[in-house]
Amino acid sequence: MASASEAHADDHGHGAENARETFRGITHDVTKVNLTPIGRWWYPAFGISLLLLGMLVVAVTHLFRTGIGIWGNNNIQGWAWDITNFVFWVGIGHAGTLISAVLYLFRQDWRTSINRSAEAMTIFAVACAGIFPILHTGRPWFAWWMIPHPNDMGMWPQFRSPLMWDVFAISTYATTSILFWYMGMVPDLATLRDKSKDKVRQVVYGLLSLGWRGSARQWHRYERAYLILAALSTPLVLSVHSVVSFDFATSQNPGWHTTILPPYFVAGAIFSGFAMVMTLMLPLRHVLGLKHIITQDHIHAMCKVTVATGTIVGGAYAIELFTAWYSGNLYEWFTFRNRILGPYAWAYFIMVSCNVIAPQFFWVKKFRSNLVFVWILCAFINVGMWFERFVIIVSSLARQALPGAWGYFEPTKWDFMTLAGSFGLFGTLFLLFVRFAPVVAMAEVKAVSPAAHAGKDDH
Amino acid sequence: MEAETQAHDDDKPAAHGNGDDHGDAGETSTDGGDTELHGLLAEFETPGALIAAARKVKNAGYTEFDCYSPFPVHGIDDAMGIKRTKLPLVVFGGGLAGLCGGLLLQWWMNAYNWPWNVSGKPTWSLPANIPIAYETTILLSVLTTFFGMWAANKLPQVWHPFFRLDRFAKVTDDGMFIGIEASDQRFELEQTKQLLVAAGATHVEECHTDARPEARSVPRAIYGVMIVLTVAALIPFALAFKARASKSSDPHWHVFSDMDFQPKAKSDQPFAEFADGRANRGEIVGTIARGNLRADDAYYRGLRDGQWITELPAAFKVDADKLNRGQERYNVYCAPCHGFDGAGHGIVPERVALRGGAWEARNLVSSDSVVIKMPNGQLFNTISNGFNTMMGYAAQVPVDDRWAILLYVRALQRGQNATQAELPAGAQVR
């Protein structure tokens, strides 16, 4: 039903039938993804994701049975790909919250077409991130000791450790993201309930939509709650990646012990997250036939956010270098020279070219309109942001103050399987979401469309 | 605009035979007359029409009514006279509880119940406790917002009388409705219907609920499932209770081995890989472990040139502390048999005698005892390696303590065989 976009364009909300046509068009276009057989592309995509997920299960089973010695980690490289993957996935999640919460507070109505899927991306990315700190502890079956609970050992967590801050920040973030996402989805799940023809869907969507009936008195509280959640998520998202950066910044390690880390990490998180949103959205709007809902304008907007945050990240790299030199601290300056000239120079230059140079193309409208090119650049940014965390973690540990404790990290096949497997987990969850949940916030899109003002005297 | 929309509902599906002009009960809910009128549901074409109609309904004095729409229609709150929700205040309370709770949690656990000394820093230092307090503030605010909103909206409520009307399914798609409930004091079926039509409704329908008791009771199958689930939920508790109340000789379940079982040989276990089949490895011939040389024959073995020494070894320095130490060790290790005075009447021989047995413990102090005449080296050797039924104490008592015990035994002998003349002035027995 291509009429939706046309109705957007020509209707200024005064023709009653046109307005209803617009609403029906949005409902139809979004619910058909869930209620009609999905395109053939979905099955191979889901199959590959499941295969990768299976690989993760194998890798994790072997890890639990044997220990973290199966990875390339060792006494020198106590943290390597495990924590790199953790920071990478948490960062990915942040764009979703930024889109759903921060842009909502700034009344950026264009967000409504992408916020649902971006929020889903957040939750699944946090799920991927959450497994790594647990895996890297070696004995993950004691991870529950980090939850403060009375126990016969008389033992409490050490709350002044940044690693405990992490536990609280990530679990609060996961909880908030899931509740925010689910709450936003309830009116749309009700739409699916009412549009479903078979009994199973009606019951499942009926239970999930909690009996939502679109009452004005309920909408009133709902909108207020949505605004509050947005206002709470905004400081939360800033705190989460700041706390993640504290894992490094509060240590004494040269290359980690800097105050720039929190804002630098937050900017990088938003940057990588937007790149990931586009990596997912560009193919999705194509295969799901949502090009009139997720339009070129949205892509322009996302590209602009990406180039802005990418440039901030580039600035952070420069300031970090300058500070290391200007501090006059021997070890600090050595660490940064070592990043550029040392054994991990290759990783440093992948990071700089992907994160600083690649996004600069987004200044030009012509490049932003070439979607294949945009997708490729976003893929590069995803790679670059993974390498940023790799450079920070691995190159700083490989050359600590004593030359006797120098080393070089060599990943094993289990490292590769765990990383690839985490993409499998993400892909599986995301494809299930696309198949069974409303991918676009229908109620919100309707509410910001001009048709929402149809028949109003003051319009 | 409103005049246009007052036209009859001409696109209604065939199934909805009774429109506003018939004015009868909706066919979707009639069931042999056993029905109860829940209210009226009126449909409107546009959000603007909905707002205008809501204002009319409110001005007509109705209170038990609501508007229904697929998205929040802005301006409807004012038209319906909805008061601003108090949710933000509740959330503020939740956030405050999160902040205080987060700080209290950390203070109680790390500074009060188990003060945690990290490099001698103060046990309670606020800055390091801010991040977690910040997160708990947000967490509790979020939980309050989420659950508070649903509670205030009285959801989940999976069933509502309006759901009986097929037309109402449009409310999540493109339909705008006003529903007035029969419980409203001003509700008069015909008048209310007129009001809604006059307000611009394109379709007005009555909503009936089934009044038969069996239609309102929960199906038995659901009760059955709930009972089964409730009983099933108790099974783990029952198993845990049984485990606590009973004894078992089976080893614990090792879900995670925690390095409890390792491919290694422990001491005094058989081990096929070594030629002698034992896991223990003796000392390597020609070597002595650090600290195990023990070249001082007099001190370690009480010997000089193969003869028992009669004096104390040079390595054992005698002073009052040594004597006190000897007394203390003697009372621990020797007194149970030899008695506190050394006369051989310890608690063990006495107890054995009570049960009709015989347990001879040597009298260490009588003047005719062989122990008095024994050279120091031989007595030390007896303490170390035992004699007859007495076991050796080398494994329990360190060398220096064994000499201290010997010293105390000599003091006991001396003290109990002293003559009046030898006692210090004033201590003689009269």
Side-chain angles (χ1 to χ4, degrees), chain A residues 14-17 19-21 23-24 27-28 64 139 141-142 148-149 154 156-161 164-165 168-169 171-173 175-176 179-180 182-183 186-187 190-195 206-207 209-226 228-229 232 235-236 239-240 243 246 443-444 446-447 451-457, chain B residues 1 43-49 51 63 65-77 80 82-85 87-88 91 105-106 108-110 113-114 116 118 121-125 127-129 131-132 134-136 138-139 141-143 145-147 149-150 152-158 160 163 168-176 256-259:
Chain A
H14 288 283
E17 203 38 53
R20 297 193 68 155
E21 190 70 21
F23 301 144
R24 278 201 295 273
T27 308
H28 176 269
F64 283 8
R139 288 204 273 173
W141 45 95
F142 291 133
H149 63 283
W156 300 115
Q158 156 64 306
F159 289 112
R160 281 171 292 176
S161 158
M164 275 308 295
W165 304 349
F168 277 76
S171 52
T172 301
Y173 186 47
T175 311
T176 304
L179 295 184
F180 198 19
Y182 175 63
M183 197 182 111
V186 165
T191 305
L192 285 173
R193 170 197 67 199
D194 294 341
K195 285 282 162 192
L207 288 174
S209 61
L210 309 177
W212 181 259
R213 53 183 189 273
S215 130
R217 295 175 203 279
Q218 291 178 341
W219 274 123
H220 170 77
R221 298 191 192 96
Y222 177 92
E223 281 203 291
R224 184 57 51 171
Y226 199 89
I228 296 170
L229 283 190
L232 289 169
L236 176 64
S239 82
V240 171
V243 165
F246 289 157
E444 289 188 48
K446 286 173 192 169
H453 302 286
K456 284 189 191 171
D457 299 333
Chain B
M1 200 46 228
E43 184 174 4
F44 296 83
E45 274 298 284
T46 61
I51 293 174
T63 52
F65 76 104
D66 210 337
C67 298
Y68 303 90
S69 56
F71 54 86
V73 173
H74 291 164
I76 199 106
D77 298 356
M80 289 173 65
I82 298 176
K83 277 192 228 137
R84 224 179 132 121
T85 170
L87 187 65
V91 173
L105 178 93
Q106 297 179 77
W108 193 81
M109 290 182 183
N110 275 183
N113 184 254
W114 189 267
W116 203 304
V118 180
K121 289 169 189 164
T123 47
W124 179 243
S125 51
N129 296 290
I132 287 178
Y134 185 93
E135 303 298 343
T136 52
I138 289 181
L139 182 66
S141 307
V142 165
L143 293 176
T145 312
F146 183 82
F147 292 105
M149 187 274 285
W150 294 122
N153 276 342
K154 298 196 174 61
L155 292 177
Q157 178 198 342
V158 287
H160 188 272
F163 286 152
F168 192 64
K170 285 196 281 184
V171 76
T172 56
D173 182 7
D174 65 339
M176 314 277 159
F256 297 106
S257 69
D258 281 327
M259 295 190 266

